[in-house]
C-alpha cells in the first residue's frame, strides 16, 4: 500500500521548475469538469522573454506561451494558449508550492466531447486521482500508512526481538532526541545570541550541529544499553536520554497523525477547536509513554527489554514514516 501511494505521488509531482515553469495546468471543459494535466507530460522550451510548453491532447497539440517575470523568471504573466492551431482561453487560477511558489493555469474552449473528456481522464488518471483526493485526504492516507507502519514494526519486533529491532530503536531514539533538541534550541530568539558575536546564520548552524550531535550521542548510548549491561548511574542517565527520545517520537506520532485523523469523527471537533488543550493532551499521553519506556529499560529484564523494543519500534516507525510522507507531500507540491 505504501509503495503504491509513493508510486502515485512521485511520478505526478509538479516539481517546478524541473518539469515545467508552472505549478499546474487544468483543462476547464464546457461541462464544468476540471482535468488536471501532469507537468512532466509537457515539453517546455524557453527564450529570453518567455516559456513555451506543449502537450498532446487527443491527437492535437495544446501549446502555452507564458511571459517571464523580469526579476524572477517564474513570476509568469500573459498566458496565451492554442489547441490544434486555434487560439483558446488561458487564465491564471491561483498559486501553489511545487515545491517553490508557482502559478496554476486553466485552459478553456477546447470543445472536447464527453468521450474525449473521459479518455483524457483515463490517460492521466494518476494526477486526476490525486487532485480529486485533495490535500486533506492525502494527509489522512499518509497518517493511516504511518500508523500501519508503526503497528507492523511493533508486531515484528515483538515476534523477532534481536539485532534489527535493537538497531532500529536505537536509531529512532537518536532521531527523537535530534528533533527535540532542534526544536528547543530553534526557539531561542536571535536577540539572545547576537550579543555573544553570533550572527543568525551562525546560530542556525549551531542549532543544527548541536541537534545532530545530540541525536548521534543518544543513538549510541541507547545501543550501548540495549547490547550490554552498564552500571547503575549510567543506566539512569541513558534511560532518561532514551525516554526523552521516546517522548518526542510519541508526541510527533500523536500530534501529526491523530491530529489529522480526529476530524474524521464529528465528536472530536470541540476538542480540535481548542488547540492548546489538544496539544496538552498529546503532551500528557507522550509523557506517559516516555515514563513507561524509562521504567521498562530501567528494569532491564528480557521481558521488559522486549516490551521496550516493541514500544520504541512502534512509535519510531510512526514518527519516521510521518516525517517521510510530510516531506514528500510538501517537497513534491501536494501540500502547502
Amino acid at each position: 500500500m505504501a509503495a503504491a501511494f509513493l508510486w502515485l505521488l512521485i511520478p505526478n509531482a509538479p516539481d517546478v521548475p524541473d518539469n515545467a515553469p508552472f505549478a499546474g495546468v487544468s483543462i476547464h471543459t464546457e461541462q464544468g469538469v476540471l482535468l488536471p494535466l501532469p507537468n512532466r507530460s509537457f515539453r517546455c522550451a524557453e527564450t529570453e522573454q518567455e516559456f513555451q510548453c506543449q502537450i498532446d491532447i487527443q491527437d492535437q497539440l495544446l501549446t502555452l506561451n507564458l511571459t517571464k517575470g523580469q526579476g524572477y523568471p517564474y513570476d509568469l504573466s500573459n498566458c496565451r494558449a492554442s489547441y490544434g492551431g486555434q487560439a483558446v482561453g488561458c487564465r491564471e487560477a491561483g498559486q501553489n508550492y511545487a515545491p517553490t511558489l508557482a502559478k496554476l493555469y486553466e485552459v478553456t474552449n477546447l470543445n472536447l466531447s464527453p468521450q474525449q473528456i473521459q479518455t483524457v481522464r483515463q490517460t492521466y488518471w494518476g494526477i486526476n486521482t490525486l487532485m480529486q483526493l485533495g490535500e486533506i485526504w492525502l494527509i489522512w492516507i499518509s497518517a493511516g500508512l504511518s500508523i500501519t507502519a508503526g503497528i507492523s514494526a511493533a508486531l515484528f519486533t515483538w515476534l523477532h526481538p534481536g539485532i534489527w529491532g535493537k538497531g532500529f530503536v536505537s536509531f529512532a531514539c537518536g532521531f527523537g532526541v535530534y528533533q527535540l533538541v532542534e526544536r528547543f534550541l530553534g526557539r531561542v530568539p536571535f536577540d539572545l545570541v547576537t550579543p555573544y558575536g553570533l550572527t543568525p546564520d551562525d546560530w542556525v548552524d549551531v542549532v543544527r550541529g548541536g541537534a545532530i550531535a545530540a541525536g548521534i550521542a543518544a543513538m549510541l548510548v541507547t545501543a550501548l544499553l540495549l547490547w550490554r549491561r552498564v552500571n547503575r548511574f549510567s543506566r539512569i542517565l541513558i534511560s532518561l536520554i532514551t525516554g526523552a527520545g521516546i517522548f518526542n517520537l510519541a508526541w510527533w506520532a500523536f500530534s501529526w497523525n491523530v491530529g489529522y485523523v480526529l476530524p474524521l469523527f464529528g465528536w472530536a471537533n470541540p476538542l480540535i477547536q481548542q488547540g492548546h488543550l489538544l496539544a496538552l493532551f498529546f503532551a500528557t499521553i507522550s509523557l506517559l509513554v516516555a515514563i513507561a519506556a524509562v521504567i521498562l529499560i530501567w528494569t532491564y529484564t528480557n521481558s521488559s527489554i522486549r516490551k521496550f523494543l516493541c514500544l520504541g519500534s512502534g512509535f519510531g516507525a510512526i514518527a519516521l514514516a510521518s516525517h517521510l510522507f510530510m516531506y514528500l507531500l510538501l517537497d513534491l507540491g501536494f501540500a502547502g
Side-chain angles (χ1 to χ4, degrees), residues 28-194:
H28 194 127
T29 69
E30 285 69 19
Q31 294 81 0
V33 177
L34 274 181
L35 298 176
L37 303 174
N39 276 27
R40 65 183 62 237
S41 294
F42 282 87
R43 304 178 297 276
C44 294
E46 62 178 296
T47 65
E48 292 185 3
Q49 290 79 30
E50 67 175 19
F51 290 100
Q52 183 183 78
C53 296
Q54 298 178 328
I55 186 174
D56 294 307
I57 301 293
Q58 291 295 285
D59 298 323
Q60 299 284 343
L61 195 62
L62 174 62
T63 302
L64 274 71
N65 291 83
L66 299 154
T67 302
K68 292 182 176 179
Q70 293 187 1
Y72 179 61
Y74 303 106
D75 183 18
L76 307 175
S77 62
N78 190 26
C79 176
R80 293 93 63 205
S82 64
Y83 180 61
Q86 301 295 318
V88 294
C90 182
R91 63 193 181 204
E92 187 178 328
Q95 299 183 91
N96 194 17
Y97 286 94
T100 60
L101 188 62
K103 294 186 177 181
L104 298 163
Y105 289 95
E106 291 180 5
V107 292
T108 58
N109 304 324
L110 269 64
N111 296 319
L112 299 178
S113 67
Q115 293 79 11
Q116 290 176 316
I117 292 173
Q118 185 62 25
T119 300
V120 173
R121 181 183 287 114
Q122 291 175 350
T123 301
Y124 303 116
W125 65 270
I127 189 66
N128 279 267
T129 299
L130 290 171
M131 293 300 102
Q132 287 178 4
L133 287 173
E135 179 179 333
I136 294 299
W137 268 104
L138 292 177
I139 293 175
W140 283 345
I141 292 172
S142 300
L145 291 174
S146 299
I147 294 170
T148 301
I151 295 172
S152 301
L155 290 175
F156 178 84
T157 305
W158 179 259
L159 295 174
H160 305 283
I163 184 172
W164 292 108
K166 292 180 180 179
F168 178 74
V169 171
S170 298
F171 174 78
C173 286
F175 181 76
V177 169
Y178 160 79
Q179 289 284 322
L180 191 64
V181 172
E182 184 182 49
R183 189 164 63 249
F184 175 77
L185 293 179
R187 291 180 178 178
V188 176
F190 290 135
D191 293 343
L192 294 181
V193 299
T194 50

Side-chain angles (χ1 to χ4, degrees), residues 163-177 215-227 242 249 308-309 312-313:
I163 184 172
W164 292 108
K166 292 180 180 179
F168 178 74
V169 171
S170 298
F171 174 78
C173 286
F175 181 76
V177 169
I216 293 174
M219 179 181 65
L220 294 177
V221 297
T222 301
L224 174 66
L225 185 59
L226 290 175
W227 259 282
T242 300
L249 294 174
F308 169 77
L309 291 175
S313 60

